[in-house]
Structure formats: structure tokens, C-alpha cells
Amino acid sequence: MASWGRRSSGMVHHIKALSKVELRGKAGEMKGGWWRYPVQPGVASALVPRSWPCVNTMASLFLVQRFKSSLPQKQVEDDDDDQDLDFPGGKVAYTSEMEFISGSYDKRIPCYRVLGDDGELIKDGSDFEKVNKELAVKMYSDMVCLQIMDTFMYEAQRQGRISFYMTSFGEEAATISSAAALTKDDIILPQYREPGALLWRGFTLQEFVNQCFGNKDDGGKGRQMPIHYGSRKHNFVTVSSPIATQLPQAAGMAYSLKMDKKDSCVVAFIGDGGTSEGDFHAGLNFAAVMEAPVIFVCRNNGWAISTPTSDQFRSDGVVVKGQAYGIPSIRVDGTDALAVYGAIRAARSMAINEQRPVLVESLAYRVGHHSTSDDSTKYRSLNEIEHWKTDRDPVNKFRKWVELNGWWSERDEADLRSSIKKQLLKAIQVAEGTEKPPLTELFTDVYDLPPSNLVEQEKLLRQTVNKYLHDFPSDVSLH
């Protein structure tokens, strides 16, 4: 898929231009350490909620350039050395004025977008990463597939057929478009709401369902709770329940790619709530210092379970956090498939060609409950949910754009949905009829020879099962 639309170089050119202070006029100006961007009157307020401003300007792509290296031979010489403090990390200018850096700014960082809610380009002839028919149709088809799979599996949990599930409603474009912008050699470390990326890479509906039912055909041998997918074949590291632990791991993996001179990068996903974890900051700082080719993608969906972003942090979302670590960052409309695709393509080019980390904040509202263990109507209004479900749905938006290009029809839509539903019904039927992994699989795949404590645990478990055999699941083999 990497061959479709070679426009990353052009986007990177615009990104690099931000570092040149002499840019003025329409591109914006530097004030107080921040770029100020001209906004078309009425654009932000008319197209998106005021809390998440989105404007269509290439100048808003990345807000920082990496700080100069602290190595002495790379330090920039100033005209008047007597007025500078030559301190480890680089020279710092003195000032006789006491001034504190502001903790916030009057204007929020804008987010990059290409499509309006009507599926039309916001600006005709705008410079964005072009996609052809084949790529666009696959992106849309996978978004529909993910949406239908979520509906079926959510209902399966409600019927008691599986124990747990999490949907991606409202965030389909954010994950699938990200995956479409990568290559198969790029390593993905998910949080837990990224099945769309795995679907894009070829993970089958049967494999998804087998994992949720935890049968013997599940690649994880039934050891993980539902939605904790993983696939070595697809370079998709298994989901881990503890929040943000994947970020320091991603930095380390990316550094290993750097050492091996691989033409690939690592992509780590995180939710807005995960940015409050220490591992978020450790991962970003490690990646920045080691100049590791990793893209950190934050899915800011407005809610960390029941905690709104207004209670999560006082900063302007997540995008500004990259600047503290010297990481180029961008805020993108996560409901806009084209904007996400273009931003991730540009971020990948920067991460690999310049060997540096990049932070991407995707704004896409979580329409569904946090999980099947949550009732989001207890902490947010139905009107708020319905607005994002109907007016800002990423799947409908992208469908309109694909249809406007003459690449999709009502017949195509009906055929696609019918086929996916049939596949899912069959997959569920097969998964339910497949036996569970044998009891012995609880103790394998960790040690070459099991230590004495595991041997003792297995012995005690078998004694307990034999004692209460009538309470033990009949579809689990004891061998």
C-alpha cells in the first residue's frame, strides 16, 4: 500500500518550513515560543465543537522542531558569548527581566483536517495525501467491517456468550487510516481499542472471534481476556491490560530498529487517560533522547472511562506535551480518514528519514461505552452521544467522499454489509462449537522446564478440579 499517492515528501517539506523563523504573513508568526496561525472566519466554529478546533492548514501540522543536540561540537555559537550561560545541554541567554513562562495560551493548537462533515473537501485543490480508488475502498470497507463486528460482538457479550468486549464506535477512521499509512514491517503496539489496525493487516474475522471466545484456535490459547489480540505474523504486539506499559517498550523496540538500520518504525497507541501514567512520560523522554523512530499516537476520545479530559489534565490536550520532550507533534481530526492517513504518512517519513520520535494526537469522540462493564449514560448526556454518533460519524463521512468520487454505490453498500454479517454469524457459530484449550496450556510457553512452584500449582489445580468436577466447565480438556 506504500505505493499509493507519493505526497509525503511534500508534506514533510511544509513541516520543516515551520522551523524557519522568517516565515510570516499567511503561514503565521512566532510569538512567545508558539506559532500563531491565521484561521478562516467561522471555519472552526462552524465545522467542529469549540472544544476541538480543526482548521485546514498545512502550516498547523507539526508545532515543534527538535531541540539542538547538547553535544558541544553541535552547539550553536551566539554573537555575544558573554551574555550566555554555557550550561550542559546548550547555551542559555541571560535576561534582566523576571518573567514566568505561561502555563497556557489564548488559542488552542488547531487540528489538521481535510474533509468536512459532509464528506467534501474543505478547500478545493488543498494539499493532502492523495489516495486512489483501491485504497479508499479498502479503507472504507474495513471501517464498515469493524463497525459491524463491534455490533455483533457487543450483543454476544450481552447475551452471555463472551465475558467482555470493547467497541471502537467513533474511532474507526483513527485506527484504520493509521494502519493504511504504514507498511507491514512497521511494528504496532496497541492499547486496546485498535482492532481496526489488525483488521487492516489481514487478521480474519474468525481469528477475532476465536480470541474473544478463548477457544483452542485462539492464538493466545485462551489465556487473555477478550479483545486482547496479538499477531506475530502481522507485527501486532499483544494487547496488555496495564495502561501505558507499551510506550517505554515501543521506545526500546524503535531504538533496536535504529541500531539495525531498518527502514521501518514503531507505532504505539495510547488513550488520553494513559497520558497521566508515568510510562507515557518515560516512553516519550527515552525515545526523544535516543532519537528512536517511533510514532506515539494518542487517541483522545474525550473520556478516560468516566473521567472527561477537562478533569484529566489542564494542558491543551495531549499535543502540547510533545514539546516538553523536544518531539514534533500534530493534532489531527480523528474522524477524518484522509487527514489521519496524511498525518501518519508524514510522521512515518519523519520518524524513519530523520530518526526521531513523533507525537500524533487524534481527536475522535468515543461514541460507545468504555466497555461492556460501563454505562456511559451515567456520566454524559444522550444528546452529546447522539450528536457525535449522527453528525460526526467517521464512517458516514468517508463514505460520502468515496461516493462523490464515483467509487461506491448503494448496491456496493448492501453487498458489503450482507457479506460481513454472514461471515460473522458463521465465525461465531464455529467459535462457539470449538472446544477450549486443554488445562495443560495454563502452564506452558513460559519456561523450557517448568519450575517447582508451577509444578505444585498444576498439581493443586488438578486436585481442586477433581474434587469439584461438577463445577468445572465440561468443554475444557483436563489433559
Side-chain angles (χ1 to χ4, degrees):
M1 293 302 175
S3 62
W4 304 129
R6 297 291 185 181
R7 298 300 298 275
S8 290
S9 58
M11 185 175 290
V12 172
H13 171 74
H14 286 284
I15 295 168
K16 290 182 176 179
L18 292 177
S19 65
K20 299 180 180 179
V21 179
E22 59 267 21
L23 284 177
R24 291 293 184 267
K26 293 183 179 180
E29 58 180 350
M30 181 75 81
K31 290 184 178 180
W34 292 84
W35 283 100
R36 303 296 188 185
Y37 306 100
V39 180
Q40 298 176 3
V43 169
S45 60
L47 294 175
V48 296
R50 287 176 296 174
S51 60
W52 285 353
C54 292
V55 295
N56 182 35
T57 169
M58 291 299 296
S60 68
L61 275 178
F62 287 82
L63 65 97
V64 293
Q65 286 288 319
R66 187 185 183 281
F67 294 116
K68 297 294 184 181
S69 172
S70 60
L71 297 177
Q73 63 268 27
K74 293 185 179 180
Q75 291 181 359
V76 178
E77 297 296 334
D78 295 320
D79 294 336
D80 190 352
D81 291 341
D82 294 337
Q83 300 302 312
D84 294 332
L85 172 62
D86 192 359
F87 197 78
K91 292 184 178 180
V92 181
Y94 284 112
T95 179
S96 59
E97 298 180 6
M98 184 174 67
E99 182 178 1
F100 289 84
I101 298 175
S102 175
S104 61
Y105 295 84
D106 296 334
K107 293 183 179 180
R108 299 190 66 187
I109 300 299
C111 73
Y112 173 61
R113 70 186 321 212
V114 175
L115 297 176
D117 294 334
D118 57 1
E120 296 189 11
L121 297 176
I122 293 177
K123 182 179 179 182
D124 290 337
S126 58
D127 187 12
F128 68 95
E129 190 82 19
K130 302 300 191 295
V131 298
N132 65 8
K133 177 180 178 180
E134 183 180 359
L135 179 59
V137 168
K138 176 170 169 49
M139 289 169 64
Y140 175 69
S141 298
D142 280 2
M143 290 165 68
V144 172
C145 185
L146 176 59
Q147 204 172 62
I148 296 176
M149 181 178 75
D150 279 348
T151 301
F152 274 57
M153 299 309 294
Y154 183 88
E155 292 302 321
Q157 192 282 332
R158 286 296 186 246
Q159 294 168 6
R161 300 162 86 172
I162 59 176
S163 62
F164 180 81
Y165 196 72
M166 302 181 79
T167 66
S168 299
F169 297 136
E171 302 181 61
E172 296 91 347
T175 56
I176 290 175
S177 296
S178 293
L182 304 172
T183 71
K184 62 181 179 61
D185 295 323
D186 297 325
I187 303 172
I188 295 178
L189 286 87
Q191 181 169 332
Y192 45 61
R193 215 181 297 274
E194 292 82 24
L198 187 54
L199 178 66
W200 176 268
R201 291 196 164 185
F203 206 66
T204 67
L205 291 178
Q206 189 66 64
E207 289 176 306
F208 278 112
V209 178
N210 285 341
Q211 196 285 324
C212 289
F213 278 87
N215 59 37
K216 70 177 183 63
D217 292 333
D218 165 30
K221 300 183 179 180
R223 299 176 181 131
Q224 291 272 19
M225 63 188 295
I227 68 89
H228 286 54
Y229 312 110
S231 174
R232 177 179 296 182
K233 173 183 176 182
H234 299 297
N235 268 336
F236 191 93
V237 179
T238 303
V239 173
S240 179
S241 287
I243 302 299
T245 55
Q246 69 274 19
L247 300 192
Q249 297 167 4
M253 287 184 181
Y255 187 60
S256 72
L257 294 179
K258 180 188 183 78
M259 294 178 67
D260 292 339
K261 302 185 185 304
K262 298 289 187 180
D263 187 27
S264 56
C265 67
V266 174
V267 181
F269 288 88
I270 185 71
D272 50 277
T275 65
S276 294
E277 294 284 345
D279 279 343
F280 171 81
H281 303 278
L284 264 65
N285 189 54
F286 180 32
V289 171
M290 303 307 293
E291 298 179 319
V294 54
I295 305 172
F296 297 105
V297 182
C298 175
R299 296 177 297 90
N300 184 348
N301 60 27
W303 294 90
I305 308 182
S306 60
T307 303
T309 53
S310 58
D311 292 342
Q312 187 70 229
F313 34 68
R314 282 293 176 265
S315 62
D316 177 13
V318 177
V319 66
V320 296
K321 298 179 187 292
Q323 186 181 40
Y325 298 106
I327 296 178
S329 308
I330 181 175
R331 172 175 281 162
V332 62
D333 182 356
T335 69
D336 182 345
L338 293 182
V340 174
Y341 177 78
I344 297 298
R345 287 270 290 184
R348 181 182 186 276
S349 177
M350 179 179 290
I352 294 176
N353 296 330
E354 301 180 21
Q355 292 294 288
R356 64 199 304 185
V358 182
L359 173 63
V360 178
E361 179 186 19
S362 164
L363 302 184
Y365 189 85
R366 192 196 79 211
V367 172
H369 305 298
H370 172 73
S371 71
T372 50
S373 302
D374 172 49
D375 180 3
S376 63
T377 62
K378 299 296 184 182
Y379 52 82
R380 57 182 184 172
S381 70
L382 288 173
N383 289 337
E384 178 180 320
I385 298 172
E386 190 63 24
H387 164 71
W388 285 91
K389 182 178 180 180
T390 57
D391 299 336
R392 300 296 315 278
D393 179 56
V395 182
N396 288 339
K397 180 192 294 189
F398 194 55
R399 175 185 175 180
K400 292 175 183 177
W401 182 78
V402 176
E403 288 178 334
L404 288 172
N405 282 278
W407 298 339
W408 200 250
S409 66
E410 289 291 343
R411 180 60 183 272
D412 294 328
E413 185 75 14
D415 290 345
L416 174 65
R417 291 183 176 275
S418 175
S419 174
I420 294 171
K421 290 176 182 178
K422 289 179 181 178
Q423 292 178 58
L424 276 167
L425 287 172
K426 181 179 179 181
I428 292 173
Q429 184 180 29
V430 170
E432 269 189 320
T434 303
E435 63 183 13
K436 302 297 183 184
L439 193 65
T440 53
E441 292 294 2
L442 281 175
F443 306 95
T444 59
D445 295 337
V446 177
Y447 299 97
D448 180 26
L449 296 175
S452 59
N453 65 315
L454 278 186
V455 173
E456 182 66 19
Q457 287 179 31
E458 182 176 1
K459 179 181 178 181
L460 291 174
L461 176 59
R462 291 188 179 280
Q463 291 175 352
T464 302
V465 171
N466 290 327
K467 184 176 181 180
Y468 303 100
L469 193 59
H470 61 283
D471 293 324
F472 193 75
S474 60
D475 58 347
V476 177
S477 172
L478 301 181
H479 302 291

